[in-house]
Amino acid sequence: MEPESLYDLLQLPKEEPPTEEELPRGGKKKYLPPNSRRDPKFEELQKQVLMEWINTTLLPEHIVVRSLEEDIFDGLILHHLFEKLASLKLEVEEIALTAASQRRKLRVILEATNHSLQVDELQAKWSVEAIFNKDLLATLHLLVALARCFQPDLPLPANVQVEVIRIESTRTGLKSEKVVEQLTECSAHKDQSSQDVFDELFKLAPEKVHAVKEAIVSFVNQKLERLGLSVQSLDTQFADGVILLLLIGQLEGFFLHLKEFHLTPSSPAEMLHNVTLALELLKDEGLLSYPVNPEDIVNKDAKSTLRVLYSLFLKHTMRTDGDGAPRGTPN
């Protein structure tokens, strides 16, 4: 294995920003400057988390990743990683030797990946060309999305962001601006300075948590009764997002077509899709006053589940209160 200093020297040409001749009119490209590459959290995400995760996952197949920038682009490792994570078999050649066959292989892999992640190709932060051209940011976005979907307990460092230079070719030449690229989400527990009522409840009055859960379960069952559904465990029955979506539809008057969510989710990816859709509906209605990660609901985090259900409880108990007076937070 070549020493790291030599490897860095060999990579220097790739760190040069594009020239006007290299970027077609109207074209856009992101340039990751050396200082951003050396950011400690950026390096931690790559080497200590994602690379170790991939190498551990693919250890039985004797596959080792030494560089996310150099080892992912041809589709070989992505092929094995996705099949292992999704328990699916892709109809692609094992080893693609030409650029055309590598692009074809990547296209098949990314189509299957986007389908599993429930991501539209136009909305994805990665593409066949970006991965094939060794775009490190696109590669990281893809791997982070795979990790969050298929291994939500992987300890991704929170709030990893790097400064990049966005370059655009215009009629008058190249224009550039500095932007911040967000690679991982802020952690509500680590990075959220303000605390809500449930932080205080769990910290200062844990003996009241059970009573609050009972009050919310009673509210939920009252609203779900006409659907012939009932909830016994707040901690577990909302993890797949199905009852949560049906409850939101019932309370907010939404009609959810069965094609929009998974009625009987059979994988973490399908559960995550359901919960993400539910949170988006609540955000659209202005009901979430505190950030909630969908992964926390899937992982049966009681505090996050309570936050979501309480937003509905608060709105609809106020609406049905006889004198119109708000009922406030349950004691």
Side-chain angles (χ1 to χ4, degrees):
M1 182 176 176
E2 294 173 334
E4 188 174 353
S5 58
L6 179 56
Y7 175 82
D8 290 339
L9 288 172
L10 291 172
Q11 297 309 304
L12 282 177
K14 290 184 181 177
E15 293 183 349
E16 295 297 326
T19 63
E20 196 168 347
E21 292 76 18
E22 294 172 337
L23 200 60
R25 178 74 57 82
K28 298 178 182 179
K29 190 168 184 178
K30 291 176 182 176
Y31 164 58
L32 188 61
N35 284 345
S36 294
R37 289 176 175 265
R38 291 192 289 266
D39 180 271
K41 292 186 75 173
F42 184 69
E43 290 191 330
E44 177 192 359
L45 176 65
Q46 289 183 76
K47 299 175 182 178
Q48 297 175 26
V49 180
L50 292 175
M51 282 175 58
E52 285 192 14
W53 170 59
I54 294 171
N55 288 335
T56 301
T57 302
L58 299 181
L59 182 62
E61 300 178 46
H62 307 290
I63 293 176
V64 177
V65 174
R66 291 186 172 87
S67 165
L68 296 181
E69 206 163 11
E70 294 297 316
D71 294 347
I72 303 296
F73 79 98
D74 62 357
L76 175 64
I77 288 168
L78 277 179
H79 172 201
H80 285 266
L81 180 65
F82 178 75
E83 286 192 338
K84 188 85 170 179
L85 295 173
S87 300
L88 294 174
K89 183 69 177 174
L90 297 178
E91 295 300 324
V92 293
E93 53 193 311
E94 177 65 24
I95 299 177
L97 297 177
T98 67
S101 61
Q102 288 169 352
R103 280 189 170 94
R104 282 197 302 271
K105 182 173 183 175
L106 273 176
R107 187 167 292 107
V108 173
I109 296 168
L110 292 187
E111 284 176 357
T113 300
N114 291 344
H115 179 75
S116 290
L117 297 176
Q118 304 290 334
V119 173
D120 184 85
E121 183 180 355
L122 297 177
Q123 303 297 322
K125 296 179 180 179
W126 53 85
S127 66
V128 171
E129 286 305 307
I131 301 297
F132 183 76
N133 288 318
K134 304 179 183 180
D135 184 323
L136 182 57
L137 291 174
T139 301
L140 288 173
H141 278 302
L142 173 60
L143 294 174
V144 166
L146 285 169
R148 288 176 56 196
C149 176
F150 292 104
Q151 192 163 347
D153 59 341
L154 186 71
L156 294 169
N159 199 29
V160 178
Q161 52 185 5
V162 289
E163 186 178 86
V164 301
I165 300 172
R166 187 162 57 200
I167 301 172
E168 181 179 1
S169 177
T170 67
R171 243 181 352 175
T172 56
L174 294 180
K175 289 187 176 179
S176 65
E177 61 174 338
K178 291 183 178 180
V179 296
V180 174
E181 188 91 2
Q182 192 80 30
L183 291 165
T184 64
E185 295 180 346
C186 297
S187 167
H189 302 291
K190 295 179 182 177
D191 300 313
Q192 188 75 18
S193 57
S194 61
Q195 291 193 330
D196 70 349
V197 64
F198 289 104
D199 286 311
E200 298 296 325
L201 181 68
F202 276 72
K203 182 179 178 181
L204 302 177
E207 71 280 357
K208 295 183 179 180
V209 171
H210 181 69
V212 173
K213 286 182 179 180
E214 284 190 335
I216 292 181
V217 165
S218 176
F219 159 77
V220 169
N221 283 334
Q222 180 187 354
K223 302 303 178 184
L224 292 178
E225 186 176 5
R226 70 184 67 179
L227 297 179
L229 299 173
S230 66
V231 170
Q232 282 76 45
S233 172
L234 181 146
D235 293 341
T236 60
Q237 286 184 261
F238 291 90
D240 63 8
V242 176
I243 290 180
L244 182 57
L245 282 170
L246 295 175
L247 178 66
I248 293 170
Q250 186 76 5
L251 293 174
E252 300 298 319
F254 294 137
F255 172 75
L256 293 173
H257 197 282
L258 290 176
K259 291 182 179 179
E260 295 179 352
F261 70 105
H262 301 281
L263 188 59
T264 55
S266 58
S267 68
E270 293 180 353
M271 295 166 67
L272 186 63
H273 168 79
N274 285 352
V275 174
T276 301
L277 175 59
L279 295 184
E280 287 174 355
L281 292 173
L282 291 176
K283 287 176 185 175
D284 290 343
E285 294 297 302
L287 292 179
L288 279 184
S289 59
Y290 195 94
V292 176
N293 288 327
E295 293 91 344
D296 292 338
I297 306 292
V298 174
N299 289 330
K300 303 174 184 177
D301 179 73
K303 194 188 299 183
S304 297
T305 305
L306 277 171
R307 283 192 178 105
V308 172
L309 295 175
Y310 180 65
S311 67
L312 291 165
F313 175 89
L314 185 62
K315 175 180 179 179
H316 291 278
T317 51
M318 287 171 60
R319 175 183 293 174
T320 57
D321 195 354
D323 57 8
R327 290 186 178 180
T329 305
N331 292 322

